[in-house]
Amino acid sequence: MDIKTTEFADQILQRAVQAGAVFAQLGQAETDRIVEAVHKAAFNQRVRLARMAHEETGMGKWQDKVLKNVVASQLVYDDIKDLKTAGVVSEDFASGITEIAQPVGPILAVIPVTNPTSTVIFKVLISLKARNPIIVCPSGKAKRCCAETARICYEAALAAGAPEDCIQWLNDTSREQTQALMSHKGLALILATGGTGLVKTAYSSGTPTLGVGAGNVPVFIDVSADIPFAVSQVFISKLFDYGTICASEQAIVVEAAIAAAVRSEFERQGAYFLSPDEIVKLEAVAFDTVKGAMKPDVVGQPASLIAQKAGIAAPADVKILMAPLAGVGEKYPLSSEILAPILAFYVEPSFTDAVNRCIDLNFYGGIGHTVSLYANNEARITEFSLLMNAGRIVVNTPSSQGGVGGMYNRLSPSFTLGCGTGGKNITTDNVTARHLVNIQRVARRRDNQRLARFDAALYLDESLDSEALEQIFNRNY
Amino acid sequence: MKIIECDGKLVCTLDGHFDTLQSQKLEDELKAHLKAPQSVVFEMQGVTYVCSAFLRVCISVAKIVGAGQFTLLGVTPPIKRVVKMAGMSELFVCE
């Protein structure tokens, strides 16, 4: 690493460490005032920031990006505003344990191109709520809108009494500079939301990281489901920002008994089912077989434009491209995650086969992320849920919005969806402010009765087994 | 447990709880029948539980006959999940 790169990281982290030290002096009320001010400032700029994000990235729909900004500001604020994150947060006389929340320290926030302004707002709010300084590190394709979002949040935070440099943002960082920041001794935590490569780099830095895994969301529509409703919800989700959310649906799985009804409902609502030849054409424009991943130029694009690129004669008003597939894996590129209005479609002979197909999809690039189920049969909901490896199993809910949380369920609204150890993450939670504090426990003396009123020398007697010792312990004196 | 040979293919119909004892029996039976190269199919519809000894039998069969020649057919979702979690779905076909 050259001197310039080291100096760059040193300067940024020095400012952040100092901001963190000052921030740690603030109490809950002062912290909450800052968070309230920042959320209002971001909320009030939601439309301008959404338009900026859309213009700069060319992905998705600005109207949906407005809603993402609303979730990141208003819903996240509603979720965290009453959370205790400073000083004594709990006291329990019986256990003698008092919990004290301390800030973790400077946080590096990696921001993806797919949800840039909303992720900045979200990460700034949860970091400040926990009294942590934050360094915003945007995708190169979204640096202007991210810088503007960070600036708005910073000005509001300063005006509300936050310490100088509590929010910093980077403009043009090289790979080396990002790595230098990630591995800097002053950095406390990385909030890594982005591609697999970047998340892996963060994990390899030696700094604790809350990362995300890739998604590949199967949707099982059970025979007990309300089909028109289920299909309408898939449209709401898959068309939201043209599918840029990693919790968006990737494949529909149905039993043969209802396949025709589901297919005709999809067609009625604006989906186009591809022929085998058209599937090959779509694979060529949507999937990079060398990299084994979706092509960036289809991400967040409307189905009509993708169809046009692929030379597919779909109706001009097509909303979703459906690819009936026979299997999952490398031979079937469209069985992978593609963040665009494209869905694989599987018809299976029975419930058992349908669940097996969902397991295949779940384990093909989406372990630990999100799965979706439409059913009105509680036994099947439970059976299905027990067999999936997913942090979020969303039921009768659009999975993009359902996974993010706060809109259709009471999951914590979040733009960092933990995928558990299957996705190489430490948590399956929707990451939020409570993950950004160190909890110190003051443990007052409360003698363990098993030891306190028991002759510990009896443990030395090998002739006494656990039952005999239990009897002695429970004897009335 | 039933093992039949049909057109060069070895078909083992399995059912119930595949504990260490059952897996050992399966391994012994297979030794008597198995010859590479040969396709092997385990019919799994009736299998409700598999222990690690059963997974070892599967690995050993896959090694002898080759990955593409060994299939677990009719697995229930709980067993499919075990195969996936054990990272063995690349070693043989599981459907």
Side-chain angles (χ1 to χ4, degrees):
Chain A
M1 200 177 297
D2 62 38
I3 294 171
K4 271 192 171 174
T5 305
T6 311
E7 277 176 1
F8 164 83
D10 283 346
Q11 279 172 12
I12 288 171
L13 262 307
Q14 191 182 27
R15 289 201 290 266
V17 168
Q18 285 168 3
V22 176
F23 215 156
Q25 299 172 98
L26 302 190
Q28 192 69 66
E30 293 153 309
T31 304
D32 288 349
R33 269 199 299 277
I34 293 165
V35 175
E36 186 186 7
V38 172
H39 116 266
K40 278 185 182 165
F43 183 80
N44 291 340
Q45 295 289 327
R46 64 196 179 279
V47 177
R48 189 170 74 86
L49 293 175
R51 284 186 181 276
M52 276 187 79
H54 180 248
E55 279 163 22
E56 187 176 358
T57 64
M59 287 179 184
K61 293 185 247 183
W62 72 264
Q63 296 91 334
D64 290 341
K65 290 190 185 294
V66 173
L67 189 55
K68 284 182 181 178
N69 289 344
V70 169
V71 172
S73 53
Q74 194 174 56
L75 299 198
V76 168
Y77 177 71
D78 286 346
D79 187 57
I80 64 174
K81 69 180 160 62
D82 296 325
L83 189 70
K84 287 187 179 179
T85 51
V88 173
V89 294
S90 82
E91 275 182 301
D92 179 44
F93 179 80
S95 67
I97 290 178
T98 301
E99 291 187 328
I100 296 172
Q102 299 282 19
V104 292
I107 291 172
L108 183 71
V110 178
I111 309 295
V113 67
T114 43
N115 313 303
T117 55
S118 48
T119 309
V120 172
I121 297 167
F122 159 70
K123 289 187 176 178
V124 163
L125 281 178
I126 63 169
S127 297
L128 297 187
K129 175 70 182 180
R131 299 182 294 167
N132 298 303
I134 180 170
I135 303 154
V136 174
C137 179
S139 154
K141 291 174 190 159
K143 58 191 177 196
R144 286 198 304 279
C145 62
C146 287
E148 180 59 3
T149 310
R151 187 192 65 75
I152 289 163
C153 293
Y154 184 48
E155 284 185 1
L158 281 185
E164 231 175 87
D165 294 321
C166 64
I167 303 171
Q168 297 183 73
W169 54 96
L170 310 171
N171 286 316
D172 273 311
T173 39
S174 65
R175 194 181 176 81
E176 287 71 29
Q177 285 172 326
T178 305
Q179 281 174 344
L181 287 168
M182 285 179 170
S183 57
H184 196 282
K185 66 180 189 308
L187 189 70
L189 185 85
I190 304 171
L191 277 175
T193 316
T196 318
L198 199 69
V199 174
K200 203 171 172 187
T201 305
Y203 277 124
S204 310
S205 68
T207 300
T209 297
L210 283 166
V212 296
N216 192 21
V217 181
V219 184
F220 174 51
I221 302 178
D222 184 48
V223 291
S224 66
D226 176 332
I227 293 170
F229 170 78
V231 172
S232 72
Q233 300 304 290
V234 172
F235 272 76
I236 286 172
S237 176
K238 193 63 181 170
L239 294 182
F240 184 64
D241 210 26
Y242 292 135
T244 52
I245 289 187
C246 52
S248 63
E249 295 83 349
Q250 299 299 327
I252 306 295
V253 181
V254 294
E255 286 179 55
I258 59 164
V262 172
R263 182 174 171 141
S264 104
E265 191 58 36
F266 264 102
E267 285 171 335
R268 195 184 68 75
Q269 295 193 31
Y272 177 76
F273 281 77
L274 303 163
S275 69
D277 288 348
E278 288 170 330
I279 288 173
V280 174
K281 286 180 181 173
L282 182 59
E283 285 168 358
V285 300
F287 198 81
D288 185 332
T289 45
V290 178
K291 289 183 180 165
M294 68 188 110
K295 286 189 176 170
D297 31 332
V298 299
V299 173
Q301 302 304 316
S304 54
L305 193 71
I306 298 171
Q308 205 181 345
K309 269 188 190 176
I312 294 167
D317 59 351
V318 62
K319 290 178 181 164
I320 296 179
L321 300 171
M322 307 284 295
L325 300 180
V328 176
E330 283 177 17
K331 279 190 202 164
Y332 307 91
L334 299 182
S335 64
S336 302
E337 181 192 45
I338 297 174
L339 298 177
I342 298 168
L343 284 170
F345 186 73
Y346 296 92
V347 178
E348 302 297 336
S350 67
F351 174 69
T352 298
D353 293 296
V355 177
N356 274 342
R357 184 63 76 202
C358 290
I359 293 174
D360 282 336
L361 289 157
N362 182 209
F363 279 78
Y364 188 60
I367 305 176
H369 206 295
T370 303
V371 299
S372 170
L373 164 69
Y374 289 89
N376 289 306
N377 176 329
E378 284 302 318
R380 283 196 164 187
I381 292 171
T382 305
E383 187 177 348
F384 180 84
S385 304
L386 287 170
L387 290 162
M388 294 298 135
N389 185 336
R392 289 146 294 277
I393 295 142
V394 293
V395 182
N396 297 329
T397 303
S399 75
S400 298
Q401 296 91 333
V404 166
M407 285 172 274
Y408 290 90
N409 53 41
R410 299 286 82 80
L411 292 174
S412 286
S414 176
F415 286 82
T416 300
L417 308 181
C419 296
T421 53
K424 298 288 181 197
N425 303 155
I426 195 64
T427 180
T428 50
D429 288 350
N430 282 16
V431 171
T432 185
R434 71 173 177 278
H435 299 95
L436 305 184
V437 289
N438 282 328
I439 298 292
Q440 297 178 170
R441 289 179 181 84
V442 182
R444 295 182 194 283
R445 182 164 179 154
R446 297 289 185 272
D447 291 348
N448 185 326
Q449 292 302 300
R450 196 174 275 283
L451 299 170
R453 63 177 189 84
F454 189 71
D455 179 4
L458 289 168
Y459 286 131
L460 305 179
D461 184 348
E462 281 185 286
S463 68
L464 294 173
D465 62 12
S466 63
E467 281 173 21
L469 285 166
E470 198 69 11
Q471 266 189 9
I472 296 168
F473 178 78
N474 288 328
R475 184 178 301 147
N476 288 322
Y477 291 99
Chain B
M1 180 191 318
K2 199 172 81 182
I3 300 183
I4 55 163
E5 254 183 291
C6 177
D7 299 331
K9 187 189 281 188
L10 199 63
V11 180
C12 312
T13 307
L14 312 176
D15 54 47
H17 196 83
F18 258 79
D19 57 12
T20 312
L21 201 65
Q22 281 292 98
S23 304
Q24 186 60 55
K25 273 187 194 168
L26 172 65
E27 192 170 19
D28 293 343
E29 290 277 333
L30 281 170
K31 268 182 194 159
H33 292 86
L34 196 61
K35 45 189 181 291
Q38 183 180 35
S39 287
V40 177
V41 175
F42 285 4
E43 289 276 6
M44 299 283 290
Q45 280 96 338
V47 176
T48 53
Y49 169 85
V50 293
C51 72
S52 40
F54 176 83
L55 297 180
R56 282 197 296 276
V57 173
C58 291
I59 293 170
S60 136
V61 172
K63 273 186 185 163
I64 294 168
V65 301
Q69 294 297 306
F70 179 37
T71 305
L72 297 193
L73 204 61
V75 287
T76 59
I79 304 298
K80 179 145 197 159
R81 189 169 186 258
V82 172
V83 172
K84 291 277 182 187
M85 287 178 71
M88 293 167 65
S89 53
E90 304 293 314
L91 298 180
F92 44 80
V93 181
C94 175
E95 49 188 38

